Amino acid sequence: MTSYGLRSGELADAAGVNRQTLRYYERRGLLATPQRSPGGHRIYPAETVDLLRVIKTAQRLGFTLDEVADLLDAGRHRHGRRPDGGLQARARSKLTEVERKLADLTVVRDTLRAAISAGCDDLVACADSPCCPLPFAELAGRNPR
């Protein structure tokens, strides 16, 4: 570590990301453009490690980089922000999305367990059987694509 900040490699190592991630986050506006050393190296403030950890944690919680950028921006500009744009509102929305996905995955899990228990071995033959546990028609109707 230099006496006035971290070089790209030091920052990347400390935050558990790679150097390309740093540059990408800079281009996306998640990280401020760093100062340069006399030798031309990017020099980041030490607190950038915490910011990178926050970004990565938010991503693991399901937030997109656009959503993370909005949340960071809202945090930087607390005055005058919309009440529906903060972390609480976004977290509630994300939780609803995750719960919906969990419900869908539960249906998939239970259906696959039923197919295994029923001994289904041929997808086409099973689909034509009245005792097939796979709800082909219902699942096809739920497919949002």
Side-chain angles (χ1 to χ4, degrees), residues 89-105:
R90 297 283 177 103
R92 281 188 203 97
S93 176
K94 191 58 65 178
L95 179 59
T96 299
E97 180 183 321
V98 167
E99 287 172 342
R100 189 174 32 252
K101 287 178 183 178
L102 282 171
D104 288 345
L105 286 172

Side-chain angles (χ1 to χ4, degrees), residues 97-144:
E97 180 183 321
V98 167
E99 287 172 342
R100 189 174 32 252
K101 287 178 183 178
L102 282 171
D104 288 345
L105 286 172
T106 298
V107 169
V108 169
R109 181 200 62 204
D110 293 346
T111 303
L112 290 172
R113 283 182 176 163
I116 291 167
S117 294
C120 294
D121 201 31
D122 181 305
L123 188 61
V124 175
C126 187
D128 289 336
S129 170
C131 64
C132 176
L134 298 177
F136 289 101
E138 293 125 35
L139 287 177
R142 290 182 61 171
N143 190 350

Side-chain angles (χ1 to χ4, degrees), residues 11-99:
L11 175 61
D13 289 344
V17 300
N18 61 49
R19 290 179 193 190
Q20 289 78 18
T21 298
L22 299 178
R23 290 190 187 105
Y24 181 67
Y25 287 0
E26 284 175 39
R27 286 192 306 273
R28 295 284 308 255
L30 295 164
L31 296 180
T33 303
Q35 294 184 2
R36 297 280 183 155
S37 71
H41 297 282
R42 287 177 163 88
I43 304 296
Y44 297 87
E47 59 270 10
T48 308
V49 173
D50 292 334
L51 177 58
L52 285 166
R53 289 178 179 157
V54 166
I55 292 168
K56 297 309 285 181
T57 298
Q59 283 185 290
R60 280 192 293 278
L61 291 173
F63 290 100
T64 66
L65 283 179
D66 286 338
E67 291 169 328
V68 172
D70 289 345
L71 287 169
L72 291 173
D73 190 50
R76 290 181 189 120
H77 304 99
R78 291 180 197 272
H79 61 286
R81 76 173 184 205
R82 295 185 350 233
D84 63 342
L87 180 58
Q88 286 291 314
R90 297 283 177 103
R92 281 188 203 97
S93 176
K94 191 58 65 178
L95 179 59
T96 299
E97 180 183 321
V98 167
E99 287 172 342

